[in-house]
Every structure is written in C-alpha cells, then in structure tokens.
Amino acid sequence: MSKTVLETRNLTKRYKTQLALSHVDLCLKQGRIYGLIGKNGAGKTTLMRMIAGLGFPTEGSIELFGRSIQEDLAKTGKRMGALIESAGLVGGMSAKENMHLQCLMKGIPNYELEDELLDLVGLADTGRKKVKNFSLGMRQRLGIATTLIGDPDFLMLDEPINGLDPSGVIEIRNLLKKLSGYDSKTILISSHNLPELYQVATDYIIIHNGEIREILSHEELDERCKAYITLESTDVNQLTTVLESQLHTDQFKVMPDNSVRLFDLLDERDRLGRVLHENGVIVTKLAVFETSLEDYFMNVIGGKEYA
Ligand code: ADP
C-alpha cells in the first residue's frame, strides 16, 4: 500500500456568496500523477491555492505527509512545489538566469542544482536564448524546473498543458513520468481538457461546481470508455451459452436489465450475428456503443456541452 501524501477533509472555500469548493475529501498516494479535471470555474485553482497555503479555507483541513498545512506551512511548504497561475518567469532573461533568480528568491542559491534541473527538463542547451523567445512547451518546462528547486516530494501544476501542441504535451508527459517514476514524486496537475490530461495522468479527480464528482484510476477510466456491443435476446442464457461455446469468448457482462455487453468481436459483427442465428438465438437488438473521454466526463458532471 503506497504512502498517503496529501489528505484533505471537508475542505470548503466560500468567496462571499460564491461557493468555490464544497466539502472536498481527497487522499493522494505517493508516486501517482493525479489529473484534476473540471471546466473553467469548477474550483481547480482554488483547490490548489488552498493546498499551497495561498488562501485560507472556510472550513476543513489539509495535511501533507501527516502535517497540517494551516498550522505548519513553513515545514509543509518545503515539501511541495507549486506552479499556480504564473511561473513568475522573466522574459528578458535566459533559462539559466531565471533559475538563478528563482533559487535566490527561494533562498537556495546553488549553481549545480540550477544546471541539474535545466538538464532534467531538457533545457540545458538553451544558452543565452531569452525566455520570451521560448515555445510555450519550453516555458512550461522551465516553470516546472522552478518548482523543483528544493526537491519537493509533492508538485502541483495548474494547467501546465493548456494550449500546448501534441509534441508539447508529450514533452510534459515524459517529464512528469520521469519525476513520478524514478523519483516517486506525487503530482497534482489540473486541466479543463480530459483528452490532454489522459496523456499524462495515472488517476483522475473530476471536479464540478466545487464538488468532487468522481475519483478514478486510468485503468478504470479505460474500462468505462471501452467500446462494446449491446445484445438483447428473448433467451439470455442461450445467448451467453452460444457466446462461450461457439464464439469462444467470455468478454461479456450480463446487465441488470438482461441485456448483454460484449467487449469482444467488435470487428466481427457479421460473424457474431450469423453464429447466433445459426444456433437458434433470437437477437432483438445488436448495437455498438462507444463512450469518448469527453462523453464520459460530461456524463459525470451531468452536462451537455464540453468546454
Ligand atoms: P478553475 O480553476 O476550475 O477555473 P477557480 O478555482 O478559479 O476555477 O474558480 C472557482 C469559482 O470560484 C469560480 O466561480 C470563480 O469565479 C470563483 N472565484 C475564484 N477566485 C475568486 C475570488 N478571489 N473571489 C471571488 N470568487 C472567486
């Protein structure tokens, strides 16, 4: 069982009349990359700001490695790195100069560390090139490098893949996998785009109107978005017997309404129909269902549009 890194209980934040977070209970485990997914205004930044100690919760508690963030920000703050809203990069400076500035600001001046971190995020060879001339992906990677000063165990990155092109997303994915895999860092990364987040996260936290709607692993998400054939018949026992004995598949589930979900033979529907018919199964429905990531997300938050 992996170690609990961060735990929030009943975390609530109200801005005057606006309830931005409502009774949030989270338990994040070491070495995982958690994707915090929600539409704009869902409460992602507010949650990260509360965890980073950048604002006070109206109610509830936050513990990092068993220590209260509210009571001991000096110690807990050292174990986390956060990139929220702006990385504070100076466009007129090089990557190295920016790292040096951030190291000084954090009270950790260390030339070797600056080079090491730039190397880690793949920016060691950018020389005197100014950050204002970097691609968005390079800037995001530099921002992530600044959060790694002090070697935190827990990283929070607010929308680091927002607006990146596919190769930029891959760059960030490789970097985050490196950090979580070799270094066992735990990462919380937010996005309003599930297909993008899908490229990097191991677990998903779906937030809507300040409430956590669902927490699920990458495997569970895959399972729920898996394409299947739905079959209905006048005799479900006969149907499942033929699936097993004649079509040699056990990749199906009998649903409470007696329909059968078949996760196999999706490309062999003609043969499926024919074999069932030849074996006397009366099929009253045969249809393919596929849930996209967007559909799944919209279903969980109970809306129609995808933003
Ligand atoms: P997200 O990061 O998911 O886009 P936010 O956490 O920024 O969402 O915002 C959640 C809700 O809280 C929104 O309705 C937003 O308008 C509101 N909100 C955020 N910050 C403030 C603030 N400082 N004052 C008042 N309302 C705020």
Side-chain angles (χ1 to χ4, degrees):
M1 196 64 196
S2 43
K3 214 158 64 186
T4 296
V5 171
L6 181 98
E7 198 159 10
T8 72
R9 282 187 220 105
N10 194 32
L11 190 63
T12 299
K13 177 68 179 179
R14 186 183 291 280
Y15 294 106
K16 291 192 180 140
T17 54
Q18 177 71 43
L19 188 60
L21 282 183
S22 174
H23 310 288
V24 169
D25 292 320
L26 286 179
C27 180
L28 308 190
K29 300 286 183 184
Q30 188 173 28
R32 312 289 297 174
I33 304 174
Y34 291 90
L36 179 63
I37 167 85
K39 289 167 73 164
N40 290 328
K44 305 182 293 297
T45 306
T46 304
L47 175 61
M48 289 188 165
R49 286 178 56 83
M50 296 300 115
I51 297 172
L54 296 171
F56 295 103
T58 311
E59 257 183 79
S61 64
I62 312 167
E63 283 184 0
L64 189 69
F65 297 102
R67 249 180 226 274
S68 163
I69 284 184
Q70 291 112 306
E71 287 165 21
D72 202 353
L73 188 59
K75 282 217 171 73
T76 52
K78 285 196 178 133
R79 298 193 72 177
M80 74 173 122
L83 186 62
I84 301 176
E85 281 155 356
S86 148
L89 301 175
V90 181
M93 288 183 171
S94 67
K96 173 91 174 150
E97 286 164 343
N98 265 286
M99 283 301 284
H100 189 58
L101 178 67
Q102 292 287 336
C103 281
L104 287 176
M105 279 164 48
K106 292 189 181 178
I108 312 172
N110 179 339
Y111 286 107
E112 268 174 37
L113 176 74
E114 291 164 19
D115 289 333
E116 213 176 283
L117 292 179
L118 285 176
D119 193 35
L120 180 73
V121 301
L123 294 174
D125 300 328
T126 52
R128 299 177 63 81
K129 185 171 176 153
K130 291 190 168 44
V131 165
K132 64 181 175 197
N133 299 321
F134 279 16
S135 69
L136 189 55
M138 289 165 79
R139 250 176 283 163
Q140 298 290 41
R141 281 186 283 140
L142 181 57
I144 294 173
T146 66
T147 69
L148 294 169
I149 297 167
D151 196 22
D153 302 295
F154 175 59
L155 284 184
M156 269 188 304
L157 309 169
D158 195 11
E159 303 264 3
I161 49 176
N162 193 7
L164 292 184
D165 59 20
S167 67
V169 175
I170 292 168
E171 286 172 12
I172 302 288
R173 175 180 66 200
N174 292 340
L175 173 58
L176 298 186
K177 292 222 158 128
K178 191 150 62 169
L179 293 172
S180 71
Y182 306 147
D183 224 5
S184 277
K185 293 194 192 302
T186 306
I187 303 171
L188 179 63
I189 161 177
S190 74
S191 177
H192 59 277
N193 186 318
L194 184 54
E196 273 179 8
L197 208 49
Y198 183 80
Q199 309 286 321
V200 298
T202 60
D203 297 82
Y204 302 87
I205 301 165
I206 301 180
I207 184 167
H208 189 58
N209 288 343
E211 287 173 12
I212 302 299
R213 288 292 169 91
E214 190 163 62
I215 301 175
L216 76 171
S217 69
H218 194 85
E219 293 73 27
E220 285 167 328
L221 181 63
D222 274 348
E223 185 66 28
R224 291 177 202 183
C225 291
K226 204 152 88 172
Y228 62 88
I229 299 171
T230 191
L231 288 162
E232 285 177 17
S233 165
T234 49
D235 186 341
V236 70
N237 289 330
Q238 188 192 13
L239 168 64
T240 55
T241 304
V242 174
L243 286 176
E244 281 173 338
S245 63
Q246 305 298 315
L247 288 152
H248 311 292
T249 181
D250 60 358
Q251 301 291 300
F252 61 81
K253 226 183 243 173
V254 179
M255 305 308 289
D257 66 355
N258 261 351
S259 66
V260 172
R261 282 189 185 180
L262 175 63
F263 300 96
D264 200 357
L265 306 170
L266 278 135
D267 297 327
E268 294 179 75
R269 297 198 291 280
D270 288 349
R271 184 165 78 91
L272 169 68
R274 182 170 40 77
V275 172
L276 290 173
H277 177 72
E278 283 168 3
N279 286 275
V281 179
I282 300 170
V283 176
T284 52
K285 182 174 178 184
L286 189 159
V288 176
F289 282 85
E290 204 159 359
T291 307
S292 70
L293 292 170
E294 289 95 333
D295 291 341
Y296 184 76
F297 172 57
M298 290 316 296
N299 214 0
V300 171
I301 67 169
K304 289 191 182 68
E305 292 163 48
Y306 185 61

